[in-house]
Amino acid sequence: PPMSDPSPTSSAESTTITSAFHTRVVDECLGIIAGETDLIANTANLSAVLFELFNEDRSNSVNWAGFYFSRQAGNLVLGPFQGKAACIRISFAKGVCGAAARTQVSQIVPDVHKFPNHIACDSASESEIVVPIISPNGTTVGVIDLDSTALGTFTDDDRVALELIAKTIAPQLSQFLGYEAQ
């Protein structure tokens, strides 16, 4: 049966997993972190699984998959990832990651060159999806970020799957960063 998210970010957006690929992504990601309490281990494994599965499905076009953590107000700091070396710090005021963190709305960008204030950590990136990770008390505690060397790589179905993963990891990330979980 399709998986659904009981707390959608917007009533107009789909929150149901409808494809076998996305069901596999969610199942493998949630399975690999089940029972593990170490955030670094979990986000490292999630990065690896996302990188591998999206590359299998997207003709090896995904060149970066990983996490940024909100370790200080208004800024993101690089967390575990797969891909080339990345920008270490990103302001909430800049780039796709900053926009997702600031607005708490997932960003699907078919052409990063058309996104205002895009930060080109890897000049080969052409499209991007960033999903905010929101603590149980409503604070942005990080983002999940995937980049691709192809235009228009990411879809709304990708957003739904990544939001389910973000909601699952949010309480652990909140605790790790010292945000009070409610």
Side-chain angles (χ1 to χ4, degrees):
M3 300 178 72
S4 69
D5 174 2
S7 56
T9 55
S10 164
S11 58
E13 293 179 333
S14 170
T15 58
T16 303
I17 301 289
T18 58
S19 76
F21 168 71
H22 293 97
T23 298
R24 181 178 174 212
V25 168
V26 171
D27 288 350
E28 288 197 26
C29 284
L30 300 187
I32 202 163
I33 65 173
E36 178 52 60
T37 59
D38 188 281
L39 176 79
I40 301 300
N42 281 341
T43 52
N45 270 335
L46 287 171
S47 298
V49 170
L50 291 170
F51 191 78
E52 177 184 344
L53 293 181
F54 273 87
N55 272 315
E56 283 178 13
D57 190 67
R58 310 292 158 88
S59 303
N60 292 315
S61 70
V62 174
N63 58 333
W64 204 91
F67 292 82
Y68 279 91
F69 301 147
S70 181
R71 297 180 69 94
Q72 58 184 194
N75 288 286
L76 296 166
V77 179
L78 183 63
F81 68 93
Q82 297 283 308
K84 290 184 177 181
C87 301
I88 296 172
R89 296 183 186 275
I90 298 175
S91 166
F92 278 24
K94 296 195 178 201
V96 183
C97 288
R102 181 180 67 255
T103 64
Q104 296 189 332
V105 174
S106 295
Q107 305 288 311
I108 300 171
V109 182
D111 183 348
V112 296
H113 306 291
K114 294 180 179 174
F115 191 89
N117 294 315
H118 175 254
I119 301 168
C121 295
D122 181 350
S123 61
S125 293
E126 297 287 342
S127 61
E128 185 170 6
I129 185 169
V130 181
V131 171
I133 304 170
I134 316 270
S135 74
N137 69 8
T139 303
T140 298
V141 292
V143 299
I144 301 172
D145 180 19
L146 279 77
D147 294 6
S148 172
T149 58
L151 292 169
T153 297
F154 302 107
T155 68
D156 195 58
D157 288 335
D158 298 335
R159 174 197 59 80
V160 171
L162 293 171
E163 285 179 353
L164 284 167
I165 295 162
K167 282 185 169 89
T168 301
I169 199 77
Q172 192 177 56
L173 178 54
S174 300
Q175 183 179 22
F176 176 80
L177 294 174
Y179 292 93
E180 185 177 332
Q182 295 179 351

